[in-house]
Amino acid sequence: MKKFSHKNISKIGKYKIKIPKRFDKKLANRLFRFMLRLRICELYLEKEYHPADQMKCPVHFCVGEEAIPAVLNELLIEEDFLFSHHRSHGYYLAKNAPMKKLFAELYGKSSGANSGIAGSMDLSYTKKNFFAGAILSGAASIAIGAALSLSLKPKSKAIAVTGFGDGATEEGLFWETINYAGLKKLPILFICENNNYSTYAPQSKRQAGMSIAERVRSFGVDSKQVFGNDVFIVYQELKKAITKARKSRTPFLLEAFTYRQSSHVGPPNDEKVKYKSKKEIKFWKKNCPVALSERVLLMKNFLKKTDINVIKSEIKKEIKSCFDYAKNSEYPSLNSWDDLNLSHNSPLADKLLLDLDKTDFDIEQQTEVSKGF
Amino acid sequence: MEKSKRISYSQAINDATSQAMKMSKDVIIMGQLIDYSSGVFGTTSGLINKFGEKRVKDFPAAESLMTQAGVGAALAGQRVLLVHIRIDFMIYSLDSIVNWLSMWRFKSNRESNVPVVIRAIVGRGWGQGPQHSKSLHAWFAHLPGIKVAIPATAFDAKGLLLESIFSEGPSIIIEHRSLFNLKDIVPNRPYRVRYGKAIVRRKGNDVTLVAIGCNVIDALKAAKILKKDGIDIEVVDPRTLTPLDRETINKSVKKTKRLVVVDPGWESFGAASEIITSVTTRQNLHLISNPLRITLPDSHTPMSLALEEKYYINAQKIVNKIKKLLKK
Ligand SMILES: Cc1ncc(C[n+]2csc(CCOP(=O)(O)OP(=O)(O)O)c2C)c(N)n1
């Protein structure tokens, strides 16, 4: 299949996944493990989210979209910046931010990644250069600045990476972003997880013209479309793109076709809106990143059923401890609203600037009205 | 005595920017046409020759992106100065300012700070008309998480810009273009004017006249005229709206028992209202007369000179209003 679209993908029926030749076995197993961990994490969070209703913040779960974060987890280095949209959990874990702090954040606890102040959509983990935010296309546009700054550091190999959905590309700001990336040839990697839907509306109802991947090319941003549930293909493409971005400091966009099994937001019950067909749900479940890779890893004997069971029980143990951590943590307290919003410290100004002041001003001079040209 | 020179407001901004960029390699500046000789009314002229295109970045007409890029660059270690030749163009970046920049520290529980400074220029007179004369300082002062400065003199313009560039958090500096040619004695060395520190520009006992931005000059002129009639005005220039130095204003009003605020913004829900409310509701100051705000009408700015004169505040209008207030 040359050109991807959600329409022609669902005609595949059963996707034939292959492990590429000479693909490292340990790497393949690590990718699988990451995806499985993210999958189980999200399923357990969904289960605890409602009807318990103790995580009192909007959450966009990412069941079905595990491949991209797994690959980023392999390929990103500590110094890279990662900016995510509202569906943030996979990206957060991709940057090796601690799972228990994600859980605590959702419960609004002081031990959360953002001390319980930001919530799921605006999650961040400063120490790992990970930042998310809810306003569509915001993450991609902020990533431009990080890329710009990195491009000023001749020795740096670090890049800026941003993950978002097809919906974000409808914003004007997105195209300002693409134009600038193409114009300045910045070390930035755009990852569009095209899951076809912006809340309930399919892409064909919202977007004119060519595919997202094609449109960015007209701005000088190289791009590629892939079947985003094949973690091995995603790995190969992103490895190429990231190696190139590190070396030749150029932008790239990957349009990865995937599917969100979760509801758009909240508990898994938005099927009642009937915006997805039964047929497509069935197709994408069967061909989800975890199922596909599990099938081929077993077939190739990279892993045995018993290995997978061991991994699963390890992950479940970790998740249980994350829930315990979150639930047993304290709620945040407050010292000052003012300090929380504004810093009144200027350590650098203290070092560099003199304290001077004066009251007088010459009021006899004429205020000259400047002309408008 | 500090070595100093008499330079204009726009030269003082240029001076501060140039010094900041010399002092720290992390400082970069972005804005439309900042690298041409005209340099945003002279405020950025010559920077390109001194610091090169890597740090002096002409930016496409993409104001939303520019502010977002500022946030990202700040995260990766830069100190970012963004210049908008007209505040009206900056409005395209409201999303960035409101939804991202101002929230950044808050969301991270103070862990992540973004040193981004936005210079926004407000036009006035000579037919700037409805499009290029909006002084939106009150909007940004309403928003948590971002400092707002509105310097009236070249001395303050330099000191506040340097302070902003080298401070931790984001700030917006509202610059009235009608002040750009006004000269002042400005120290050569880099110095700071702190946020949240108002200045008493003229001492007096009868009325506290708080004046903002371009109206500071009008207020000082009015005070001089009123002196001839034996009315003794104390002129307070807050210099920054966020944080606002309520203590200095309070102290002055305690002494004079009269409060007048002259504000180059629209009347309703504006800076003048906030200053009057916050001063008078904190304690009973036993005012002799009702507080008074002198502002622009709740109207956009007309282009025609004839109507412009009706619209804008000047020294004589302030004199008349204060005389009327004292007669009551
Ligand atoms: C500027 C803006 N407009 C609208 C929204 C509301 N909104 C939140 S998520 C979403 C759907 C986005 O779809 P997409 O970008 O494809 O990501 P997905 O949710 O599919 O992962 C919308 C419209 C928003 N967050 N920001």
Side-chain angles (χ1 to χ4, degrees):
Chain A
M1 183 165 34
K2 267 223 168 82
K3 272 192 199 172
F4 283 86
S5 72
H6 272 274
K7 216 165 141 198
N8 61 25
I9 284 177
S10 49
K11 288 186 193 134
I12 303 172
K14 191 171 170 190
Y15 182 82
K16 287 189 198 68
I17 190 163
K18 278 196 289 232
I19 299 181
K21 267 190 203 137
R22 288 190 292 277
F23 201 93
D24 185 61
K25 180 176 158 183
K26 279 192 186 137
L27 169 60
N29 288 347
R30 279 202 307 274
L31 288 168
F32 174 70
R33 190 191 171 106
F34 184 98
M35 293 195 297
L36 195 58
R37 177 170 178 257
L38 176 56
R39 168 68 59 92
I40 297 174
C41 163
E42 292 291 85
L43 288 177
Y44 272 75
L45 281 173
E46 274 185 344
K47 212 162 89 187
E48 279 288 314
Y49 186 74
H50 182 75
D53 295 342
Q54 288 308 299
M55 290 172 244
K56 297 184 200 300
C57 76
V59 180
H60 301 76
F61 297 103
C62 65
V63 175
E65 302 191 25
E66 292 87 1
I68 294 281
V71 171
L72 290 180
N73 183 251
E74 283 296 328
L75 295 173
L76 295 191
I77 55 173
E78 195 80 8
E79 300 77 39
D80 289 335
F81 282 83
L82 178 55
F83 296 93
S84 155
H85 65 160
H86 52 282
R87 209 172 296 287
S88 61
H89 300 181
Y91 293 103
Y92 171 92
L93 295 175
K95 256 302 196 165
N96 291 319
M99 188 186 272
K100 63 180 183 184
K101 289 190 167 289
L102 163 66
F103 283 40
E105 184 64 25
L106 302 183
Y107 280 91
K109 297 297 182 74
S110 64
S111 60
N114 300 63
S115 313
I117 288 171
S120 170
M121 294 184 287
D122 282 82
L123 192 66
S124 66
Y125 203 69
T126 307
K127 284 196 245 354
K128 301 275 187 190
N129 288 344
F130 169 79
F131 305 95
I135 305 296
L136 292 181
S137 196
S141 51
I142 290 180
I144 281 285
L148 190 79
S149 173
L150 294 171
S151 75
L152 298 176
K153 302 174 173 101
K155 284 197 195 115
S156 176
K157 285 265 167 277
I159 60 169
V161 180
T162 171
F164 49 86
D166 44 294
T169 71
E170 277 143 48
E171 299 290 349
L173 179 55
F174 182 76
W175 297 102
E176 292 183 19
T177 301
I178 293 296
N179 174 57
Y180 201 72
L183 178 75
K184 296 288 175 187
K185 295 284 174 265
L186 296 176
I188 183 166
L189 174 63
F190 299 99
I191 298 175
C192 178
E193 287 189 89
N194 186 333
N195 63 16
N196 197 24
Y197 293 102
S198 174
T199 312
Y200 308 137
Q203 192 183 6
S204 59
K205 198 172 164 222
R206 303 177 277 119
Q207 295 186 11
M210 298 174 290
S211 72
I212 294 162
E214 280 167 304
R215 276 181 275 154
V216 303
R217 247 178 266 152
S218 68
F219 289 85
V221 174
D222 199 8
S223 68
K224 180 120 192 193
Q225 294 187 318
V226 291
F227 181 62
N229 284 5
D230 183 334
V231 74
F232 305 111
I233 285 186
V234 170
Y235 180 87
Q236 286 183 316
E237 289 305 332
L238 282 184
K239 170 126 195 178
K240 259 191 276 174
I242 289 176
T243 309
K244 190 164 171 216
R246 290 201 198 291
K247 223 161 97 196
S248 60
R249 319 304 279 160
T250 46
F252 185 83
L253 180 139
L254 186 78
E255 185 178 7
F257 285 80
T258 182
Y259 197 74
R260 147 174 75 66
Q261 291 181 27
S262 307
S263 286
H264 166 64
V265 63
N269 60 8
D270 73 1
E271 274 168 32
K272 59 183 183 287
V273 182
K274 294 198 167 56
Y275 64 102
K276 294 167 161 178
S277 75
K278 285 217 167 75
K279 205 172 131 206
E280 72 177 65
I281 294 172
K282 203 172 142 204
F283 166 80
W284 284 100
K285 267 198 174 154
K286 203 164 65 191
N287 296 295
C288 84
V290 177
L292 286 179
S293 55
E294 179 171 333
R295 194 196 307 153
V296 73
L297 290 177
L298 287 172
M299 208 168 68
K300 286 272 168 190
N301 235 348
F302 277 30
L303 282 174
K304 290 198 232 16
K305 256 254 138 32
T306 48
D307 298 330
I308 295 178
N309 287 337
V310 171
I311 297 172
K312 275 187 185 161
S313 69
E314 282 169 5
I315 291 170
K316 284 180 189 165
K317 222 167 108 191
E318 182 194 6
I319 286 167
K320 186 182 176 305
S321 78
C322 290
F323 274 119
D324 290 343
Y325 176 83
K327 289 179 180 173
N328 294 329
S329 288
E330 302 289 323
Y331 283 108
S333 57
L334 182 75
N335 293 322
S336 131
W337 290 116
D338 182 41
D339 179 54
L340 190 55
N341 285 280
L342 265 188
S343 162
H344 298 289
N345 300 327
S346 322
L348 198 56
D350 294 342
K351 223 169 73 186
L352 297 174
L353 304 175
L354 291 170
D355 251 303
L356 293 179
D357 216 344
K358 73 169 183 124
T359 51
D360 64 296
F361 184 72
D362 168 15
I363 59 164
E364 296 312 326
Q365 51 186 324
Q366 272 302 316
T367 340
E368 196 182 305
V369 177
S370 38
K371 298 190 180 67
F373 56 81
Chain B
M1 263 300 282
E2 275 297 311
K3 268 204 179 152
S4 48
K5 52 186 181 281
R6 190 174 148 94
I7 55 174
S8 69
Y9 191 99
S10 53
Q11 284 167 324
I13 292 169
N14 191 308
D15 200 35
T17 311
S18 185
Q19 278 180 348
M21 296 187 79
K22 213 175 286 169
M23 278 189 285
S24 164
K25 281 202 165 44
D26 295 336
V27 178
I28 60 170
I29 173 170
M30 305 199 275
Q32 277 163 47
L33 307 183
I34 59 171
D35 54 349
Y36 289 88
S37 56
S38 49
V40 191
F41 313 123
T43 59
T44 66
S45 310
L47 296 174
I48 184 76
N49 306 325
K50 287 187 217 160
F51 305 105
E53 62 180 24
K54 282 203 160 152
R55 296 176 61 199
V56 181
K57 292 192 168 298
D58 183 10
F59 212 85
E63 290 80 5
S64 313
L65 175 66
M66 188 167 88
T67 312
Q68 291 292 74
V71 175
L75 285 174
Q78 308 312 133
R79 296 186 166 269
V80 185
L81 175 58
L82 307 175
V83 185
H84 295 278
I85 194 159
R86 300 193 186 280
I87 195 171
D88 324 280
F89 306 150
M90 184 184 76
I91 302 311
Y92 258 130
S93 71
L94 269 191
D95 160 56
S96 179
I97 295 169
V98 176
N99 293 328
W100 296 95
L101 184 60
S102 75
M103 264 165 50
W104 201 266
R105 173 182 170 87
F106 178 85
K107 286 199 300 187
S108 72
N109 190 22
R110 297 167 298 181
E111 210 178 301
S112 181
N113 289 285
V114 276
V116 175
V117 185
I118 303 174
R119 283 183 47 213
I121 299 170
V122 181
R124 170 179 172 169
W126 206 87
Q128 297 290 324
Q131 200 52 275
H132 291 322
S133 53
K134 310 175 199 85
S135 194
L136 301 171
H137 45 279
W139 282 20
F140 300 103
H142 183 65
L143 182 68
I146 190 155
K147 289 179 280 188
V148 181
I150 184 157
T153 67
F155 180 93
D156 285 351
K158 177 171 173 178
L160 279 165
L161 180 52
L162 279 165
E163 172 71 9
S164 305
I165 292 172
F166 292 119
S167 77
E168 269 194 337
S171 39
I172 292 189
I173 305 179
I174 308 281
E175 299 167 0
H176 287 121
R177 198 181 147 201
S178 58
L179 302 172
F180 274 33
N181 297 323
L182 292 185
K183 294 195 164 150
D184 192 11
I185 309 290
V186 177
N188 294 349
R189 283 206 288 170
Y191 63 93
R192 73 200 300 187
V193 168
R194 287 172 192 264
Y195 275 79
K197 217 174 136 217
I199 191 159
V200 179
R201 294 216 172 267
R202 179 193 173 104
K203 285 200 184 334
N205 288 312
D206 295 337
V207 177
T208 296
L209 179 57
V210 176
I212 297 170
C214 60
N215 287 149
V216 171
I217 315 304
D218 301 320
L220 288 168
K221 285 183 178 164
K224 200 175 160 204
I225 299 169
L226 286 163
K227 183 80 191 168
K228 287 186 204 135
D229 293 323
I231 303 169
D232 194 16
I233 305 283
E234 179 144 307
V235 177
V236 182
D237 172 1
R239 300 196 284 197
T240 69
L241 297 180
T242 306
L244 178 65
D245 181 357
R246 293 182 170 89
E247 306 319 312
T248 299
I249 300 170
N250 229 23
K251 217 171 108 192
S252 174
V253 180
K254 259 190 193 159
K255 177 176 73 176
T256 64
K257 307 278 183 224
R258 282 195 181 91
L259 174 60
V260 177
V261 183
V262 50
D263 172 13
W266 297 305
E267 183 176 65
S268 301
F269 302 92
S273 317
E274 170 56 27
I275 290 170
I276 290 171
T277 308
S278 72
V279 170
T280 56
T281 55
R282 280 186 176 200
Q283 51 183 307
N284 191 347
L285 294 162
H286 305 288
L287 299 184
I288 306 168
S289 54
N290 276 343
L292 173 71
R293 54 187 169 174
I294 303 173
T295 67
L296 299 178
D298 283 331
S299 161
H300 287 295
T301 315
M303 188 279 287
S304 167
L305 180 70
L307 291 178
E308 247 183 12
E309 275 164 10
K310 277 202 162 57
Y311 182 79
Y312 280 121
I313 299 158
N314 58 35
Q316 195 53 52
K317 286 189 193 174
I318 299 173
V319 167
N320 297 346
K321 292 215 170 175
I322 289 181
K323 276 190 176 167
K324 204 168 142 199
L325 181 78
L326 293 195
K327 255 190 219 137
K328 268 185 198 162

